[in-house]
Amino acid sequence: MTDNDTTEPTDGSTDDVRTDGGVVSQERSANYLESEVNILSPSTPFMRDHLRVVWGGFIAWLVIVWGPFLATVLATDTMTTQLPVIGFPAHYFLVAFVAPTGSLVLAAIYAKKRDQLDEKYGIDPSEVETETGSESAAATDGGVDK
């Protein structure tokens, strides 16, 4: 049997069951929205992939936002020289323009990657039901006890 072999499920469902070295996965039948979230031990393949995106974005954010500060501390002479085109010191330009712009670009990249993950695992955000209960009723009546 190869990694991509498809076998019939034993529970009578019509979902494809894929085997991968003895590990059986049913991507379509897993309920990713109701699984326990544990950042140290993700319980689903979706959560593992999502954490990979989150940690990659966090590391990129650290470099973009804190890199100019660290470079200014380590190489003060280089970072405090005037840039020829704009006339500002390099550290000022990096902190004032590159860091905020980089953060916005990272947010857009995260949103695109998250949409790709949702599509890969068959998660439709429009199908998520909101819980209705006494808490939501209290929030909508202005906090007045009846």
Side-chain angles (χ1 to χ4, degrees):
M1 196 183 276
T2 64
D3 289 345
N4 294 329
D5 284 348
T6 302
T7 60
E8 291 297 320
T10 57
D11 63 356
S13 67
T14 59
D15 291 339
D16 288 341
V17 177
R18 291 181 206 92
T19 59
D20 182 21
V23 178
V24 176
S25 66
Q26 291 178 306
E27 291 179 3
R28 296 286 180 209
S29 65
N31 191 351
Y32 296 103
L33 297 176
E34 294 184 12
S35 297
E36 181 180 340
V37 176
N38 183 343
I39 197 165
L40 300 176
S41 176
S43 60
T44 64
F46 169 77
M47 289 181 191
R48 282 191 295 277
D49 290 346
H50 187 226
L51 277 175
R52 196 172 297 125
V53 170
V54 168
W55 282 111
F58 179 68
I59 291 168
W61 177 82
L62 282 175
V63 170
I64 290 170
V65 172
W66 291 100
F69 171 75
L70 185 60
T72 303
V73 170
L74 297 176
T76 306
D77 292 338
T78 304
M79 293 299 288
T80 56
T81 59
Q82 300 288 328
L83 293 174
V85 177
I86 60 174
F88 288 110
H91 73 282
Y92 180 81
F93 177 73
L94 290 173
V95 170
F97 181 74
V98 173
T101 305
S103 295
L104 289 173
V105 169
L106 284 174
I109 291 170
Y110 170 77
K112 182 175 174 73
K113 291 286 189 182
R114 178 59 196 261
D115 288 344
Q116 289 173 349
L117 283 177
D118 287 350
E119 184 177 316
K120 176 182 177 182
Y121 289 99
I123 297 172
D124 186 7
S126 64
E127 292 179 3
V128 177
E129 296 178 13
T130 57
E131 294 181 19
T132 57
S134 62
E135 294 175 341
S136 63
T140 59
D141 70 359
V144 179
D145 291 333
K146 293 180 182 180

